[in-house]
Amino acid sequence: MKLMQLAISLSGAAAVALSLSGLAEAESVSSEASPIYGVTLPDGYRQWPLIAPAQEAAPLNELRAVLGNEVAIKAYAVKTLPFPDGTVLVKLAWKHTQSPEFEPASIPGAATTVQVMVKDAKKYASTGGWGFGRFINGKPADEAQHKTCFACHQALVKDHDFVFTRYAP
């Protein structure tokens, strides 16, 4: 059973990684800033290195991939905490869909959100040094959705500089 779960997880992660290039053309980068934090989608983020894949269970039921800029990748490589200013993390999310070709595997379905975290200790001092952006179809989500970002990170991962994602070497 554990071997089957591993195979499913690996096939899902591979599908997410392979889909990054195909979805890059489907979503345009928005220059619109998120409410509260003023975060925008960074130029070229779809070409950034993968930090880790993830799977979100119910109720969201999503496949996710977290990408990082050069500052983020270097910080993860040497296990730097807190993350340095200039760190940018981008989480891509898709509906978790069963593969039509191989029943135990999962593939990305419809894109759901792109979420961004930007580290600037002075600018975002009141939120642990992080600014947040959540984008749906390239447009910033409403203010109410952004108000939940820091509260969740603060409650659950304060001891890891408010970052959920761990590096998958």
Side-chain angles (χ1 to χ4, degrees), residues 23-47:
L23 287 177
E25 297 160 5
E27 183 176 313
S28 61
V29 175
S30 170
S31 61
E32 292 183 58
S34 67
I36 304 171
Y37 303 99
V39 170
T40 60
L41 289 170
D43 290 334
Y45 72 92
R46 292 276 188 172
Q47 285 72 48

Side-chain angles (χ1 to χ4, degrees), residues 42 48 68-73 75 83-89 117-122 124 129-130:
W48 290 358
N69 69 353
E70 187 175 332
V71 177
I73 298 300
F83 287 91
D85 281 0
T87 297
V88 182
L89 305 173
M117 288 179 68
V118 176
K119 183 69 179 262
D120 184 326
K122 290 180 184 172
Y124 305 116
W130 291 98

Side-chain angles (χ1 to χ4, degrees), residues 18-157:
L18 289 174
S19 72
L20 288 176
S21 60
L23 287 177
E25 297 160 5
E27 183 176 313
S28 61
V29 175
S30 170
S31 61
E32 292 183 58
S34 67
I36 304 171
Y37 303 99
V39 170
T40 60
L41 289 170
D43 290 334
Y45 72 92
R46 292 276 188 172
Q47 285 72 48
W48 290 358
L50 177 70
I51 293 170
Q55 181 174 337
E56 181 77 24
L60 296 177
N61 195 29
E62 292 179 335
L63 294 176
R64 297 173 171 191
V66 177
L67 312 176
N69 69 353
E70 187 175 332
V71 177
I73 298 300
K74 286 179 181 177
Y76 271 108
V78 296
K79 300 179 181 172
T80 300
L81 282 179
F83 287 91
D85 281 0
T87 297
V88 182
L89 305 173
V90 176
K91 178 175 24 175
L92 309 173
W94 303 268
K95 277 301 186 187
H96 184 205
T97 304
Q98 182 179 352
S99 170
E101 291 87 13
F102 184 58
E103 187 176 322
S106 53
I107 60 172
T112 59
T113 62
V114 176
Q115 297 175 39
V116 182
M117 288 179 68
V118 176
K119 183 69 179 262
D120 184 326
K122 290 180 184 172
K123 184 175 183 179
Y124 305 116
S126 66
T127 52
W130 291 98
F132 299 87
R134 183 179 294 174
F135 300 85
I136 301 169
N137 295 323
K139 304 285 185 198
D142 63 33
E143 187 172 320
Q145 290 182 352
H146 283 86
K147 285 182 178 179
T148 64
C149 294
F150 183 63
C152 186
H153 287 252
Q154 184 179 35
L156 300 172
V157 285

Side-chain angles (χ1 to χ4, degrees), residues 2-15 53 55 63 104-106:
K2 287 188 180 200
L3 185 58
M4 180 61 86
Q5 288 173 333
L6 177 62
I8 290 169
S9 294
L10 290 175
S11 64
Q55 181 174 337
L63 294 176
S106 53

